[in-house]
Amino acid sequence: MNARGPTRRQALAGIALSCAWPLAHAAESALPAPDSLADALASALARSQPLVVMASLRGCPFCRIVREHYLMPELATGLPVVQIDLRDRRAVRDFDGAPRTHEAMLAAWGIAVAPTLLFFGRGAREVAERLAGGASDFYGAYLEQRLNQARAAVRA
């Protein structure tokens, strides 16, 4: 920047960054963010499926891996998956219909690690053990085990 303002190069770099940020953010938001967890759960149960909730954190590399390599393929095959961000202040209706921010809901659930997957069934009860973290060579096997457990609980 000089006394008259930014140089042409600086201005072009600023424009490029302002255009790239929404694309990067969109990639992180590839899983749907629910308006109502109660509605998302009702829809999942109507299909005899558990509702998978991913507690995520914008910019988290492990969250991106879990989202892109494990959850997006499951979503494409019909598994109900939603994403809630640890630092997001958007409102969402909880299972009881009360409005809360994503951040407050995850804090109430005691979530402190991203990514964490939760598996919900009837009565908004967790029907499989939470899957916290994303750095494991066996992540796919752990996820499959919990999905099988959650599906069996929902169908019982």
Side-chain angles (χ1 to χ4, degrees):
M1 185 163 184
N2 59 33
R4 295 181 304 210
T7 65
R8 178 178 164 86
R9 177 181 275 174
Q10 290 168 328
L12 289 174
I15 292 169
L17 283 174
S18 68
C19 292
W21 185 86
L23 294 175
H25 179 64
E28 293 221 14
S29 300
L31 292 174
D35 293 324
S36 165
L37 282 172
D39 291 348
L41 180 59
S43 176
L45 293 174
R47 298 186 333 221
S48 298
Q49 292 283 340
L51 175 64
V52 178
V53 176
M54 178 185 185
S56 186
L57 180 64
R58 189 172 298 131
C60 164
F62 295 115
C63 297
R64 182 176 180 190
I65 290 168
V66 168
R67 185 173 35 254
E68 292 178 4
H69 295 276
Y70 298 100
L71 297 180
M72 292 300 293
E74 291 288 346
L75 181 66
T77 64
L79 180 70
V81 181
V82 295
Q83 177 177 301
I84 298 179
D85 194 275
L86 283 160
R87 294 189 183 146
D88 197 329
R89 296 190 181 271
R90 281 183 293 171
V92 61
R93 293 207 173 272
D94 201 345
F95 291 115
D96 62 6
R100 298 179 191 211
T101 65
H102 289 217
E103 183 179 49
M105 186 174 316
L106 293 176
W109 290 343
I111 304 293
V113 173
T116 295
L117 301 184
L118 299 96
F119 307 86
F120 291 98
R122 286 184 197 89
R125 288 190 324 266
E126 290 185 54
V127 292
E129 182 183 351
R130 294 176 178 186
L131 183 53
S136 170
D137 292 337
F138 303 105
Y139 193 90
Y142 296 146
L143 176 59
E144 184 177 342
Q145 174 199 27
R146 284 166 175 84
L147 285 174
N148 288 338
Q149 181 182 0
R151 286 179 174 131
V154 166
R155 293 177 180 150

